[in-house]
Amino acid sequence: MTEREAANVRAIGFVGLGVMGGRIAKRLLDAGYEVAGTNRTRAKADRLVAAGMRWADTPREVAASSEVVITMVTDAIALRAVTDGPDGLLAGLGPGRIYIDMSSVNPAASRELAARVEELGASMLDAPVSGSVSTLEEGKLSVMVGGDVATFERALPILRAIGPTVTHVGGHGQAAAMKIATNLSLAVQMLAFSESVLLAERSGIPRETALHVLLSSVIASPMLRYRGPFVLQQPDEAWFDVNMMQKDLLAALEMGRDLDVPLPSTAIANQLLTAARALGLEKKDFAVLFEVLATMSGLHET
Amino acid sequence: MTEREAANVRAIGFVGLGVMGGRIAKRLLDAGYEVAGTNRTRAKADRLVAAGMRWADTPREVAASSEVVITMVTDAIALRAVTDGPDGLLAGLGPGRIYIDMSSVNPAASRELAARVEELGASMLDAPVSGSVSTLEEGKLSVMVGGDVATFERALPILRAIGPTVTHVGGHGQAAAMKIATNLSLAVQMLAFSESVLLAERSGIPRETALHVLLSSVIASPMLRYRGPFVLQQPDEAWFDVNMMQKDLLAALEMGRDLDVPLPSTAIANQLLTAARALGLEKKDFAVLFEVLATMSGLHET
Amino acid sequence: MTEREAANVRAIGFVGLGVMGGRIAKRLLDAGYEVAGTNRTRAKADRLVAAGMRWADTPREVAASSEVVITMVTDAIALRAVTDGPDGLLAGLGPGRIYIDMSSVNPAASRELAARVEELGASMLDAPVSGSVSTLEEGKLSVMVGGDVATFERALPILRAIGPTVTHVGGHGQAAAMKIATNLSLAVQMLAFSESVLLAERSGIPRETALHVLLSSVIASPMLRYRGPFVLQQPDEAWFDVNMMQKDLLAALEMGRDLDVPLPSTAIANQLLTAARALGLEKKDFAVLFEVLATMSGLHET
Amino acid sequence: MTEREAANVRAIGFVGLGVMGGRIAKRLLDAGYEVAGTNRTRAKADRLVAAGMRWADTPREVAASSEVVITMVTDAIALRAVTDGPDGLLAGLGPGRIYIDMSSVNPAASRELAARVEELGASMLDAPVSGSVSTLEEGKLSVMVGGDVATFERALPILRAIGPTVTHVGGHGQAAAMKIATNLSLAVQMLAFSESVLLAERSGIPRETALHVLLSSVIASPMLRYRGPFVLQQPDEAWFDVNMMQKDLLAALEMGRDLDVPLPSTAIANQLLTAARALGLEKKDFAVLFEVLATMSGLHET
């Protein structure tokens, strides 16, 4: 497949049609790509099928019928479940194909998978995203890509259709590393924001007003703009729950230890996520760090 | 002075024409206000005088000739120097006038000053800003205001000319409190960002690339967008130096202690600012937290 | 007063006959000294009077009738209350006398008081102790002394009667500094111990067993040996409460800031003491840090 | 083997004759036991052979000829190397024998090994010690024991000959857990102690004096009494190096995460151990935390 051909790639496969995956698949359909997809539970795919996606029964089938196949699943275990085995993606991946993993897994796992893909004569990219559902819907997703440059360039049109910001950060696993390095700032920003809100509130400023001022200030990252309001009302469904965030912080802390980078604010945020779990909040969005701090402030005392 | 009259206020006094103060005075001149101003060193006022500002020799003169007088100085000590004494602002402040302090001082000091202003028959607002020179120049400054509602409404047109975002957060001193609550997030965000950059860099990603990805991601607060690049090159002149930031964090920690709000991430960031001082970096912009972490990571080992 | 005379000092004055002060005065009586004493509430002195102490109505009287006068009060405010004013200790302090302050106050306040004592022709020592009631009763108290060497040597026999360990650490205020530097380790050791106990308990080891093992191990400082059992049962009366400990940590953090010493573990322990206050535990012994951590671990969830 | 017989056990095997293991084996020889032992490098066993120990070439031989066999190696990897394979300890372990592992491994690994031992009809105890070479030499070692009560009682005479303090803390792996819970306090106490020393020193008190006062105070745990002087002079050989301590802290943090126990002071100490590694100090005794803090205090600035 030459670059020219790459630009002409139309057949894309998609494995993992959850909250994020489903929306990305939809963007690709909207951009005119032919998409074949599969998911653990078929019901979640109904709307995509209605929008023109072709359903496939197994990851293997998806891979076999696509020039480029994408996975977007929860974690390393879920990834292994869709890549391995007789019905797995690798079983259907032919020479010359491109496999893009958009899941968040640790760098080592990603590099190991890339090596297995190369043995099949195909090429892999790790391409996690920074951002959440709302970022995607606003068309402001940032995609980090790890892998060789040639593969990156072949996949660029597709990645741009998802993005729009797409950055090649380095070799295999380095986008996974970049994602983890990014996510530690998410958790710490949320912790600091919670400290800001509680301190303002205890000073006599209504929580809503404090929120308004903080979200109009220079600390208002896109993440805080959508997650900040959760301190008024936790969402029904977590966008990124305590367990998922802690998984990323543990990966960051492990990397920090291996690479000799002290991560003091990450370490503290991680301990407060443990407190969140201890308080029974592990399935809540990680913005629940505010509740942990509120508990430590005696706010939930009777 | 009625609201109607307030809308017609044209004579504004300005004390403190430094980096921020000078630019705010300029905005008011540009908005058509008559501005009389003074500053410790006259040279800094030359450009403003050229732009139409009337120079006054003392804060007292500024106050005496203005319907609304504004101060914007470094800290509580500098504020006392311009408000007190025979040539001080309070000596010139007549009944019915409005005094707006835009400096960052602690809530208690601000409340005490407001009481003295009221004894003169005038009204005070504490109106610190969130943001830096670049925020101001982009016209995106956020002004928090403490004081009574009537005075706030009278001053609103002027504050909007500075802002544009203006929020009344509560009574006297509460805007000062809000500012301190906001600034703790600045320091912690910068620390977390430094952890993100160093971790990415040690993973093999070039620092420039890591910066680019992080500043395209959902963690990119306005503060990080202008201060993030300082990890490549510290600026010649600090916008907000280690000492100034630590002054705010100490105020936050003292408030947290008094109001029973634990501030774990603030406490850690504050210790790293102490390390910055110990390393001789107290006059650098607080973005130098990156250098502290780099030192702890052995980056400056020989 | 020569050294020879000093060895012959028999008349000692004592101001502040609380939990520690009363027991120290008793030791001096037991050692054969003539002790005149006073206290805010006379009732606390009854047992001492029965044991031979002469009651005096004011600190001034105590000072006037003693060659060496000692104070042992709660904090800087209480100290000022007994030293200043017409009935205060300084009003009765004559030339050549020695004044020993065993209270815990900050170094600057201690140095200032020493200067006032010297103006009267007398000499001061700051002599805080490390240890608690039980340490005293076991005869294992350690006394740190700040002030000039000559005065120190004159006072040594008396200090040894209290001690027995007595160390001259430096000039005025430096024993106060040494005390604060010591106390930060008390708080942090208690926090770490609480982490050890809770982790062991959650692993399935009974709390009593964990306690027994930890207190037989190399981490068992004298402080932990008497305070450790508080994790089973908080004492009725605090030996050193959250507010007192936090006062010392705040002094340590302020010194650390002024002297460029980052104190990361102190900063964290201090935040958890704030949480203790927020949870309504400020009057409990600081060993209640265990309860704060237990709350964060969900132990008190219903 | 009945209890009566147990009391008569004379043949003990010992695998791992390093700094601690060698000294423990010596104690057993001194107590009149017949000891057969082996070690990776034979040279280290020479003195023991001279003292009456019988050398064996493999762990299998040691186990085969002993009623009770003990291992004392560095970590889980070293343990696996002596237990597994054709020449491994398990290959020589017969029914009714007792195997005591005194290494520090994580609870899960210890439980897994215990299950394999039981399949052979033998019984295992995990019996890590708290304390270091000097504690052992002073005869003050504390041994924590995990495993079933019957086996514990049979092994008690031998464990007491090592101890003298021996505590049964619970089932398989729980002594390993207790050891990890204990060691986190070692690291945090050393960090707090370093903060105390540096703060005192910067206040003008000579480091030696500060050390003397602190080690006479109620914070002076046995660990600090032998390790405290390292802040004056790091030892030539680490007793417990940064890497070993960090291994234990990582185990503690992992347990804390799994068991919902936040460990804030442990998390901070761990980050400073990472800084120690980054500064090239990973092979130094963990007391080198003092040097990390000194670096952050600008003490090593030029």
Side-chain angles (χ1 to χ4, degrees):
Chain A
M1 189 162 62
T2 64
E3 262 189 65
R4 172 89 188 272
E5 289 163 345
N8 294 325
V9 167
R10 302 257 50 103
I12 297 180
F14 212 103
V15 178
L17 302 165
V19 177
M20 278 298 276
R23 278 168 174 82
I24 291 174
K26 182 63 166 47
R27 273 182 89 83
L28 293 171
L29 285 168
D30 292 348
Y33 288 98
E34 296 162 20
V35 180
T38 192
N39 194 45
R40 210 167 34 178
T41 49
R42 175 155 183 173
K44 288 193 182 169
D46 287 348
R47 290 208 311 178
L48 288 162
V49 171
M53 186 188 81
R54 185 169 60 78
W55 172 262
D57 284 329
T58 65
R60 184 177 53 72
E61 275 182 52
V62 171
S65 64
S66 310
E67 292 160 88
V68 170
V69 60
I70 300 175
T71 50
M72 179 61 137
V73 296
T74 316
D75 55 23
I77 293 164
L79 186 60
R80 190 162 279 268
V82 301
T83 53
D84 289 19
D87 284 333
L89 186 149
L90 295 188
L93 200 66
R97 301 293 172 83
I98 295 179
Y99 164 37
I100 303 173
D101 176 37
M102 304 192 77
S103 314
S104 284
V105 298
N106 72 57
S110 191
R111 274 192 294 271
E112 190 194 348
L113 187 55
R116 292 169 64 205
V117 167
E118 268 170 38
E119 283 171 17
L120 301 171
S123 301
M124 180 173 153
L125 298 173
D126 46 304
V129 297
S130 162
S132 190
V133 170
S134 67
T135 329
L136 175 70
E137 289 179 343
E138 292 167 10
K140 291 183 177 170
L141 216 59
S142 172
V143 187
M144 314 162 230
V145 189
D148 65 75
V149 174
T151 309
F152 169 71
E153 284 175 359
R154 284 164 55 200
L156 198 49
I158 295 166
L159 294 166
R160 285 225 172 99
I162 296 170
T165 309
V166 179
T167 311
H168 183 251
V169 300
H172 292 306
Q174 287 190 318
M178 192 68 233
K179 171 71 182 284
I180 287 165
T182 304
N183 277 9
L184 73 85
S185 270
L186 290 187
V188 178
Q189 285 195 354
M190 191 68 220
L191 173 57
F193 180 77
S194 301
E195 295 180 11
S196 293
V197 172
L198 269 173
L199 190 61
E201 190 176 27
R202 284 280 170 92
S203 303
I205 300 163
R207 195 183 292 180
E208 290 77 1
T209 306
L211 199 66
H212 173 74
V213 172
L214 290 166
L215 297 185
S216 308
S217 83
V218 291
I219 71 160
S221 61
M223 184 279 285
L224 287 177
R225 282 205 303 275
Y226 61 75
R227 202 162 247 118
F230 293 178
V231 305
L232 297 177
Q233 168 90 47
Q234 291 291 323
D236 291 338
E237 202 181 348
W239 292 0
F240 199 63
D241 72 25
V242 165
N243 281 339
M244 291 158 85
M245 180 50 93
Q246 194 165 40
K247 180 180 66 102
D248 280 6
L249 291 201
L250 292 173
L253 291 165
E254 193 181 330
M255 284 170 59
R257 198 266 178 190
D258 290 344
L259 301 171
D260 291 349
V261 183
L263 303 171
S265 73
T266 307
I268 288 297
N270 184 45
Q271 293 306 313
L272 294 186
L273 288 174
T274 291
R277 291 164 48 90
L279 296 167
L281 306 169
E282 70 268 28
K283 291 292 186 192
K284 299 282 184 186
D285 189 274
F286 76 87
V288 85
L289 277 168
F290 179 81
E291 295 302 323
V292 174
L293 205 65
T295 299
M296 290 172 69
S297 302
L299 212 69
H300 301 308
E301 287 287 281
T302 49
Chain B
M1 189 161 61
T2 63
E3 261 189 63
R4 172 92 189 269
E5 289 163 346
N8 293 324
V9 167
R10 303 258 48 102
I12 297 180
F14 212 105
V15 178
L17 303 165
V19 177
M20 278 298 275
R23 278 168 174 81
I24 290 174
K26 182 64 165 48
R27 274 182 88 83
L28 292 170
L29 285 168
D30 292 349
Y33 287 98
E34 295 162 19
V35 180
T38 193
N39 194 46
R40 210 168 35 182
T41 49
R42 175 158 182 168
K44 287 193 181 168
D46 287 348
R47 290 208 311 176
L48 288 162
V49 171
M53 187 188 81
R54 184 168 62 78
W55 173 261
D57 283 329
T58 63
R60 184 177 53 73
E61 275 182 51
V62 171
S65 65
S66 310
E67 294 160 88
V68 170
V69 60
I70 300 174
T71 50
M72 178 61 138
V73 296
T74 316
D75 55 23
I77 292 163
L79 186 60
R80 191 163 277 268
V82 300
T83 53
D84 288 19
D87 285 334
L89 186 149
L90 295 188
L93 200 64
R97 302 292 174 82
I98 294 178
Y99 164 35
I100 304 173
D101 177 37
M102 306 191 75
S103 314
S104 284
V105 298
N106 72 57
S110 190
R111 274 192 294 270
E112 192 194 347
L113 187 54
R116 292 170 64 205
V117 167
E118 267 169 40
E119 283 171 17
L120 302 170
S123 301
M124 179 172 154
L125 298 174
D126 46 303
V129 298
S130 162
S132 189
V133 171
S134 68
T135 329
L136 176 69
E137 290 180 341
E138 291 167 11
K140 291 183 178 168
L141 216 57
S142 172
V143 188
M144 314 162 233
V145 189
D148 64 76
V149 174
T151 308
F152 169 71
E153 284 176 358
R154 284 164 55 201
L156 198 49
I158 295 165
L159 293 166
R160 286 228 173 98
I162 296 169
T165 308
V166 180
T167 311
H168 183 251
V169 299
H172 292 306
Q174 288 190 319
M178 192 69 233
K179 171 71 182 284
I180 287 165
T182 305
N183 277 10
L184 73 85
S185 270
L186 291 186
V188 178
Q189 285 195 354
M190 191 67 219
L191 172 57
F193 181 76
S194 301
E195 295 180 11
S196 293
V197 172
L198 269 173
L199 190 61
E201 189 176 27
R202 284 280 170 90
S203 303
I205 300 163
R207 195 182 293 180
E208 290 79 0
T209 306
L211 199 66
H212 173 73
V213 172
L214 289 166
L215 297 185
S216 309
S217 83
V218 291
I219 72 160
S221 61
M223 184 279 285
L224 287 177
R225 282 206 304 273
Y226 61 72
R227 204 162 244 118
F230 293 177
V231 305
L232 297 177
Q233 168 89 48
Q234 290 292 324
D236 290 339
E237 201 181 350
W239 292 359
F240 199 64
D241 73 23
V242 164
N243 281 340
M244 293 160 83
M245 180 50 92
Q246 195 167 39
K247 180 180 67 99
D248 280 6
L249 291 201
L250 292 173
L253 291 165
E254 193 181 330
M255 284 170 59
R257 198 267 180 191
D258 290 344
L259 301 171
D260 291 349
V261 183
L263 303 171
S265 73
T266 306
I268 287 297
N270 184 45
Q271 293 307 312
L272 294 186
L273 288 174
T274 290
R277 290 164 49 89
L279 296 168
L281 306 170
E282 71 268 28
K283 291 292 186 194
K284 299 284 184 185
D285 189 274
F286 76 87
V288 84
L289 278 168
F290 180 81
E291 295 303 323
V292 175
L293 205 66
T295 300
M296 291 172 68
S297 303
L299 212 68
H300 301 306
E301 287 287 280
T302 48
Chain C
M1 189 162 62
T2 64
E3 261 189 67
R4 172 90 188 269
E5 290 162 343
N8 293 324
V9 168
R10 301 258 49 102
I12 298 180
F14 211 102
V15 180
L17 303 164
V19 177
M20 277 300 275
R23 279 168 174 82
I24 290 174
K26 182 66 166 48
R27 273 182 89 84
L28 293 171
L29 285 169
D30 292 348
Y33 288 98
E34 295 162 21
V35 180
T38 193
N39 193 46
R40 209 168 34 181
T41 49
R42 174 155 184 173
K44 287 193 181 167
D46 287 348
R47 292 207 312 178
L48 289 162
V49 171
M53 187 188 80
R54 185 170 60 78
W55 173 260
D57 283 330
T58 64
R60 184 178 52 72
E61 276 183 52
V62 172
S65 65
S66 309
E67 294 160 89
V68 170
V69 61
I70 301 175
T71 49
M72 178 60 137
V73 296
T74 316
D75 55 23
I77 292 164
L79 187 60
R80 190 161 279 268
V82 301
T83 54
D84 288 19
D87 284 334
L89 187 149
L90 295 188
L93 200 65
R97 302 293 173 84
I98 295 178
Y99 164 35
I100 304 173
D101 177 37
M102 304 191 76
S103 314
S104 284
V105 299
N106 72 57
S110 190
R111 275 192 294 269
E112 190 194 348
L113 187 54
R116 293 170 63 205
V117 167
E118 267 169 40
E119 283 170 16
L120 302 171
S123 301
M124 180 173 152
L125 298 173
D126 47 303
V129 299
S130 162
S132 189
V133 171
S134 67
T135 329
L136 175 70
E137 290 179 341
E138 291 167 11
K140 291 182 177 168
L141 216 58
S142 172
V143 188
M144 314 163 231
V145 190
D148 63 76
V149 174
T151 309
F152 169 72
E153 284 174 358
R154 284 164 56 201
L156 198 49
I158 296 166
L159 294 165
R160 285 226 173 99
I162 297 169
T165 309
V166 179
T167 311
H168 183 251
V169 300
H172 292 306
Q174 288 190 319
M178 191 69 233
K179 172 71 182 284
I180 288 165
T182 305
N183 277 9
L184 73 84
S185 270
L186 291 186
V188 178
Q189 284 195 356
M190 191 67 219
L191 172 58
F193 180 77
S194 301
E195 296 180 11
S196 292
V197 173
L198 268 173
L199 190 60
E201 189 176 27
R202 283 282 169 90
S203 302
I205 300 164
R207 197 183 292 180
E208 291 78 1
T209 306
L211 199 66
H212 173 73
V213 172
L214 290 167
L215 297 184
S216 308
S217 83
V218 291
I219 71 159
S221 61
M223 184 279 285
L224 287 177
R225 282 206 303 274
Y226 61 74
R227 203 162 245 117
F230 293 178
V231 305
L232 297 177
Q233 167 91 49
Q234 291 291 323
D236 289 339
E237 204 181 349
W239 293 359
F240 199 63
D241 73 23
V242 165
N243 281 339
M244 293 159 82
M245 179 50 93
Q246 195 166 39
K247 180 180 66 101
D248 280 7
L249 292 202
L250 292 173
L253 291 165
E254 193 180 329
M255 284 170 59
R257 199 267 180 190
D258 290 344
L259 302 170
D260 290 350
V261 183
L263 303 171
S265 73
T266 306
I268 287 297
N270 184 46
Q271 293 306 313
L272 294 186
L273 287 174
T274 290
R277 291 164 49 89
L279 296 167
L281 305 170
E282 70 269 29
K283 291 292 184 193
K284 299 283 183 185
D285 189 274
F286 76 87
V288 84
L289 278 168
F290 179 81
E291 295 302 323
V292 175
L293 204 65
T295 300
M296 290 173 68
S297 302
L299 212 68
H300 300 307
E301 286 288 279
T302 48
Chain D
M1 187 162 63
T2 65
E3 264 189 63
R4 171 91 191 269
E5 290 163 344
N8 294 324
V9 166
R10 302 258 49 100
I12 297 180
F14 213 103
V15 178
L17 302 164
V19 176
M20 278 299 274
R23 278 168 174 81
I24 291 175
K26 183 64 166 46
R27 272 182 90 82
L28 293 171
L29 285 169
D30 291 349
Y33 287 98
E34 296 163 18
V35 180
T38 194
N39 194 45
R40 210 168 34 180
T41 49
R42 176 156 183 170
K44 287 193 182 168
D46 287 349
R47 290 206 313 176
L48 288 162
V49 170
M53 188 189 78
R54 185 169 61 78
W55 173 260
D57 283 329
T58 63
R60 185 176 53 73
E61 273 182 54
V62 171
S65 65
S66 310
E67 292 159 271
V68 170
V69 60
I70 300 174
T71 49
M72 179 61 137
V73 297
T74 317
D75 57 22
I77 292 164
L79 187 60
R80 192 162 277 269
V82 301
T83 54
D84 289 19
D87 284 333
L89 185 150
L90 295 188
L93 200 65
R97 303 292 174 82
I98 294 178
Y99 163 38
I100 303 173
D101 176 38
M102 305 192 76
S103 314
S104 284
V105 298
N106 73 57
S110 190
R111 273 192 295 271
E112 190 194 349
L113 187 55
R116 293 170 63 204
V117 167
E118 268 170 38
E119 283 171 16
L120 302 170
S123 300
M124 179 173 154
L125 298 173
D126 46 303
V129 298
S130 163
S132 189
V133 170
S134 67
T135 329
L136 176 70
E137 289 178 344
E138 291 168 10
K140 290 183 177 169
L141 215 58
S142 173
V143 187
M144 313 162 231
V145 189
D148 63 77
V149 174
T151 308
F152 169 72
E153 285 175 356
R154 284 164 55 199
L156 198 49
I158 296 166
L159 293 166
R160 286 225 172 99
I162 296 169
T165 309
V166 179
T167 311
H168 183 252
V169 300
H172 293 305
Q174 288 190 318
M178 192 69 232
K179 171 73 182 283
I180 287 165
T182 304
N183 277 9
L184 72 86
S185 271
L186 291 186
V188 178
Q189 285 195 354
M190 191 67 220
L191 172 58
F193 180 78
S194 301
E195 295 179 12
S196 293
V197 172
L198 269 173
L199 190 61
E201 190 176 28
R202 284 280 170 91
S203 303
I205 300 163
R207 195 182 292 181
E208 289 78 1
T209 306
L211 198 66
H212 174 72
V213 173
L214 290 167
L215 297 185
S216 307
S217 83
V218 292
I219 72 159
S221 61
M223 184 279 285
L224 288 178
R225 282 205 304 275
Y226 60 74
R227 203 162 246 118
F230 294 178
V231 304
L232 298 177
Q233 168 89 48
Q234 290 292 323
D236 290 339
E237 201 180 351
W239 293 359
F240 199 62
D241 73 23
V242 165
N243 281 339
M244 291 159 84
M245 180 51 91
Q246 195 166 40
K247 179 180 68 97
D248 279 6
L249 291 201
L250 292 173
L253 291 165
E254 192 180 331
M255 282 169 60
R257 198 265 178 191
D258 290 343
L259 301 171
D260 291 348
V261 183
L263 303 171
S265 72
T266 307
I268 288 297
N270 184 46
Q271 293 307 313
L272 294 186
L273 288 174
T274 291
R277 291 163 48 90
L279 296 166
L281 305 169
E282 70 268 29
K283 291 291 185 194
K284 299 282 183 185
D285 189 275
F286 75 89
V288 85
L289 278 168
F290 179 81
E291 296 302 323
V292 175
L293 205 64
T295 300
M296 289 172 68
S297 301
L299 212 70
H300 301 306
E301 285 290 279
T302 48

